[in-house]
Each structure stands twice: as structure tokens, then as C-alpha cells.
């Protein structure tokens, strides 16, 4: 029994160290990718649902590995989070997206809105608000053209300071969206206290909008809630015409998803925008 136990312990620790090694390996790769500029942003259109007019885009982070694979952000952002890379990567995202925003604005797309995702670590950093100011100053776009997408997690345990910071950011003229609403642990009162501009209906709820218009449940509730709080609502992950139709009927204002456009690298997105006329 003793041997068996020791055997198990060894197996367990070997397993653990293999995982740790893999993590360290990936972290080394991520650091290298960051410095070698193998991270890039893809831009996905956000449209006005009734008219289909493009209002802006969400910048989505991509990691292109040396062997040509594309690693999705869900897989490496948690890693960046644990390793202190979140802040430098986040600042790079901010600068890169603002630069692209400037290009689009100068290219004739006035009032174009650029949304970026901000992790709670980045948001909490004291340098975050000043960095927003510098980025805007640098690219000389109107602050109202920049939007920050925050998830409910930013508020966990910090509701008052979060609310104050959001206010400070909105006072600069930047808009704020509540991302993935309803998927976290926060309550409705958190949404009310945080005082954001836009409410994003998570893809998981949009997915449930069926062909027959039945299982519309949570999406409909979130949209109604958004309207009640006088927020602009935007649905993500809109893939079908039927979903668009149902969302419109529910009173949703804006949409984002493969139906309108996939996330595209900068050049491709510029060409896509030009083709919109
Ligand atoms: P998110 O903010 O909820 O972004 C929406 C995700 O849905 C994106 O996945 C997008 O590619 C995907 N998507 C959009 N439309 C459709 C559709 O019609 N169908 C389907 N099946 N999927 C659709 P992506 O790009 O893999 O990003 C995953 C998550 O990673 C994002 O979720 C966001 O939380 C995070 N993320 C992305 N970029 C950044 C970043 O720069 N900073 C931070 N902190 N997080 C980021
Ligand atoms: Ca987002
Ligand atoms: Ca989202
Ligand atoms: Ca989502």
C-alpha cells in the first residue's frame, strides 16, 4: 500500500510539473511573440440593427505563432494575466486600436467607434486612466470614438472604486460598455451602480434565439433591462438573419456577429469598410 501511495504521489507531481513546464513554455513564447510583434488585432464590425449601417468595430487580440497557428485570446489572456504581461499587452492594444481608429477616421469614416477589451487587472492599474489620455492625445480622435468593454468581474469587491473610475473615464468623453452581461456573478444592482453607456448581450444568449423564435428567454430580458436603464443594447454573436429579426423585435439597437462581418486584420478591415460605401 505504501508503494502504491508513493507511486501515486509521484504520478501526481509528474503530471503537475508537466503542466507547469507547458505553462512556462507557453509563457516564454508569449513574451517572445509580444516583443516580435506577432500579436495583432482583428477588427469586427458593430452595426446599427435597423439600418445595417456600420457604427464601429471591436478590436480583438490575436496571437500568430511562428508555425502559423492562431491562438485564440481565451487561451493566452489568462496566462498573460498571471505573468504581469496584461498591462503591457493592454497598453499595446490601446495604442494600436487608437492608431487604427485614426487611420479609419482620416480615411473618411468620421465618428467611427473603436471598442477595446480591458481586463480587470489593466483597469485597476493606477496608470490606466492617464494611459487613455495619452493614447487619445497621440491619435487626435474625438474621445467619444473610443469605447471600453468591461466585464462584470471588474466590479467584484470594488464596486465603489470601479464606479468612480468609470465616471472619471466617461467624464473624459470615452464611452463604456458592459461586456458579457449575465454570464458572471454580479447582480442587477451592480449594473445600475456602474452607470455604463452600452450593454452587450452575450453570445450565449443570442445563440438561444431559435429558428421558431421560441427560446428567446434571457436575451429578451437583458434587452428589456437595458432599455429600462436607458442603455444602448448591442447583441454579440449574431449569425443568422432570423436572430437579427428577433433581436430587432425585442428592441435591441445594435449587433455584432458573423452575419455582418468576421473579425478581420487591419488591412482587410479597411478594404471591407471601403466596400461598405
Ligand atoms: P468577447 O469580448 O465576448 O468577444 C467576442 C468573441 O466572440 C470574439 O472571440 C469573437 O471573435 C467572437 N464572435 C463574434 N461574432 C461571432 C459569431 O457570430 N459567432 C461566433 N461563434 N463567435 C463570434 P475571440 O476573438 O476569440 O475573443 C475571445 C475573448 O477574448 C473576448 O470575448 C474577450 O473577452 C477576450 N479578448 C479579446 N481581445 C482582448 C483584448 O485585447 N484584451 C482583453 N483583456 N481581452 C480580450
Ligand atoms: Ca468584448
Ligand atoms: Ca462580449
Ligand atoms: Ca462574450
Amino acid at each position: 500500500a505504501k508503494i502504491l501511495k508513493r507511486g501515486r504521489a509521484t504520478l501526481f507531481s509528474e503530471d503537475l510539473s508537466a503542466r507547469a513546464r507547458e505553462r512556462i513554455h507557453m509563457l516564454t513564447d508569449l513574451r517572445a511573440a509580444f516583443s516580435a510583434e506577432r500579436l495583432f488585432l482583428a477588427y469586427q464590425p458593430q452595426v446599427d440593427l435597423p439600418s445595417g449601417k456600420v457604427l464601429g468595430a471591436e478590436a480583438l487580440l490575436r496571437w500568430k505563432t511562428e508555425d502559423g497557428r492562431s491562438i485564440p485570446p481565451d487561451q493566452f489572456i489568462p496566462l498573460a494575466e498571471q505573468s504581469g504581461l496584461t498591462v503591457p499587452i493592454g497598453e499595446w492594444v490601446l495604442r494600436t486600436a487608437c492608431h487604427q481608429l485614426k487611420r479609419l477616421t482620416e480615411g473618411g469614416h468620421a465618428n467611427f467607434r473603436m471598442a477595446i477589451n480591458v481586463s480587470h487587472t489593466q483597469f485597476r492599474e493606477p496608470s490606466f486612466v492617464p494611459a487613455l489620455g495619452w493614447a487619445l492625445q497621440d491619435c487626435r480622435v474625438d474621445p467619444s470614438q473610443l469605447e471600453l468593454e468591461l466585464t462584470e468581474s471588474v466590479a467584484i469587491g470594488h464596486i465603489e472604486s470601479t464606479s468612480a473610475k468609470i465616471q472619471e473615464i466617461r467624464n473624459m468623453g470615452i464611452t463604456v460598455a458592459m461586456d458579457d452581461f449575465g454570464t458572471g456573478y454580479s447582480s442587477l444592482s451592480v449594473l445600475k451602480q456602474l452607470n455604463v453607456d452600452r450593454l452587450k448581450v452575450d453570445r450565449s444568449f443570442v445563440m438561444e434565439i431559435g429558428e421558431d423564435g421560441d427560446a428567446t428567454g434571457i436575451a429578451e430580458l437583458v434587452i428589456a433591462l437595458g432599455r429600462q436603464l436607458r442603455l444602448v443594447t448591442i447583441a454579440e454573436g449574431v449569425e443568422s438573419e432570423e436572430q437579427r429579426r428577433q433581436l430587432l423585435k425585442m428592441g435591441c439597437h445594435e449587433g455584432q456577429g458573423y452575419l455582418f462581418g468576421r473579425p478581420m486584420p487591419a488591412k482587410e478591415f479597411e478594404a471591407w469598410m471601403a466596400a461598405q460605401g
Side-chain angles (χ1 to χ4, degrees), residues 58 117 149 179-181 200-203 236 256:
E58 176 179 5
N117 293 283
E149 296 195 357
D179 205 355
D180 300 346
F181 182 74
K200 290 198 88 171
V201 184
D202 191 63
R203 185 162 68 85
E236 68 177 24
Q256 176 182 349

